[in-house]
Structure formats: C-alpha cells, structure tokens
Amino acid sequence: METAESVSPSPTSTPPRSPQIATTTGNTFGCLVRFAFANIRRRPERFVLSVLGIALAIACVTVVRTISSSFAIT
C-alpha cells in the first residue's frame, strides 16, 4: 500500500517538457521564412485572399487620399 507521500510528486521534480524547436542564435529570420513558406504551401487560398485583402486596403486608402486632396485643392 502506497502512502500519500510516495504518490505525490516531489517538489524538485520537473514536469515533462514538450519537444523544443531548434534554437540557434541568429537563425530567427530563417525560421520565420521557412515557417511562412510552409504555411503558403499548406494553405495557398488563404495566402491569396490575404494578399488580395491587403492590396484592396491599400487601393482604398490611396483613392480616399486622392479624392480628399483634390477637394482640398478646389
């Protein structure tokens, strides 16, 4: 029969850790680029829709600024 002391984890034991991503100094940009390309290959439709959304937002801002500057001139 086990006692409560033998069943409970000791305060010095560490919890199990998940596998770590390989971390090397100065490799953060490379990891981000590989992660981005992997996501583009996995979900290309999401990438296309995101790019179209950003392009549409830039076009809208450009049109509104052009219209407002033309009204300011007159």
Side-chain angles (χ1 to χ4, degrees):
M1 180 173 189
E2 295 181 343
T3 63
E5 292 175 4
S6 63
V7 173
S8 66
S10 65
T12 58
S13 66
T14 59
R17 299 179 68 175
S18 61
Q20 295 291 322
I21 297 174
T23 55
T24 59
T25 57
N27 197 20
T28 305
F29 183 73
C31 287
L32 288 175
V33 169
R34 278 184 289 157
F35 181 70
F37 282 130
N39 282 331
I40 290 170
R41 279 192 300 270
R42 189 173 48 132
R43 298 278 307 268
E45 67 278 0
R46 185 168 114 178
F47 169 72
V48 170
L49 290 174
S50 296
V51 170
L52 288 176
I54 292 169
L56 182 63
I58 292 172
C60 288
V61 168
T62 303
V63 167
V64 168
R65 287 184 55 110
T66 303
I67 291 172
S68 66
S69 66
S70 67
F71 278 132
I73 291 171
T74 59

